[in-house]
Amino acid sequence: MITVRQANEADAEMLWIWANDEVVRQSAFSSDSISWSDHIDWFHSKLNDPKCRIYIGEDESGQAIGQVRFDVCGIRAEIDISVAPHRRKRGIGKVLLPLCIEAFGQSTRIVRFDAYVKLDNVASEAVFRATGFEKASIDQLRHCFHYTYESTG
Ligand SMILES: CC(C)(COP(=O)(O)OP(=O)(O)OC[C@H]1O[C@@H](n2cnc3c(N)ncnc32)[C@H](O)[C@@H]1OP(=O)(O)O)[C@@H](O)C(=O)NCCC(=O)NCCS
């Protein structure tokens, strides 16, 4: 069973390692690797930002297996997801994303979500589609699909 909790200071290094994973860098709009100092400044700003929330998914043994970040913009939130490199392709993304949307929705009024998925990121597309996201448009400049979702819960 996967459970979710909010990220905290102790997650800084793990999230840095995950962010620099090759597949994550390929999926991002800037593929440069991220230095520790840039990461820690960014992470502290996100932890202190009321418009941002980062959830960590954990397995039965309390092992962290993925993260989902929500960045609120007006009445919508943009989502970023990654699963720990050695835990991918086992269906975790498809379970983790709806769990985090539910947790986020319980403490905010946000029900509308956006995701920007690079055109070749089939795993990410599958996860968003399985959660109920629909393709809204193609962003030719950034070579990505814009997915949207409105939660009913
Ligand atoms: C995208 C990501 C979160 C998906 O998580 P995951 O736990 O590996 O995904 P799942 O195991 O739930 O798989 C979802 C589907 O994608 C498929 N899939 C997973 N990895 C795949 C791959 N590398 N190539 C092709 N298909 C893949 C699975 O077979 C599954 O297919 P199904 O819907 O037919 O069953 C994960 O691959 C990841 O962290 N990628 C790097 C970061 C990233 O791309 N984030 C998204 C940014 S928009």
Side-chain angles (χ1 to χ4, degrees):
M1 195 181 85
I2 296 175
T3 53
V4 301
R5 61 167 175 82
Q6 283 195 49
N8 60 55
E9 186 69 41
D11 298 309
E13 187 177 0
M14 175 188 74
L15 290 174
W16 179 54
I17 291 167
W18 288 357
N20 275 324
D21 169 69
E22 196 186 334
V23 181
V24 173
R25 296 293 358 113
Q26 280 168 12
S27 76
F29 292 106
S30 161
S31 55
D32 298 343
S33 64
I34 302 164
S35 70
W36 171 252
S37 64
D38 282 353
H39 171 73
I40 201 71
D41 288 349
W42 171 87
F43 185 56
H44 285 152
S45 76
K46 289 294 181 187
L47 283 184
N48 292 318
D49 182 354
K51 291 186 171 170
C52 177
R53 194 161 300 171
I54 303 173
Y55 290 95
I56 305 292
E58 293 181 337
D59 65 13
E60 300 80 0
S61 60
Q63 197 75 26
I65 52 174
Q67 65 85 34
V68 177
R69 191 180 76 243
F70 296 85
D71 285 294
V72 176
C73 183
I75 59 163
R76 310 181 67 85
E78 186 175 330
I79 297 182
D80 173 79
I81 179 171
S82 61
V83 167
H86 58 293
R87 305 295 288 270
R88 290 182 194 142
K89 287 194 182 178
R90 298 179 201 178
I92 288 174
K94 291 204 287 193
V95 176
L96 181 61
L97 181 60
L99 277 177
C100 291
I101 288 177
E102 190 188 342
F104 180 74
Q106 277 169 1
S107 58
T108 68
R109 291 184 174 187
I110 305 284
V111 294
R112 296 186 180 95
F113 300 94
D114 298 293
Y116 296 90
V117 180
K118 278 192 167 176
L119 302 186
D120 59 355
N121 196 344
V122 289
S124 182
E125 262 204 282
V127 166
F128 283 108
R129 278 180 180 278
T131 306
F133 281 69
E134 287 178 359
K135 202 179 279 180
S137 61
I138 299 180
D139 184 333
Q140 299 287 5
L141 266 182
R142 295 207 292 169
H143 298 284
C144 69
F145 295 118
H146 175 200
Y147 274 90
T148 59
Y149 174 64
E150 186 161 340
S151 117
T152 50

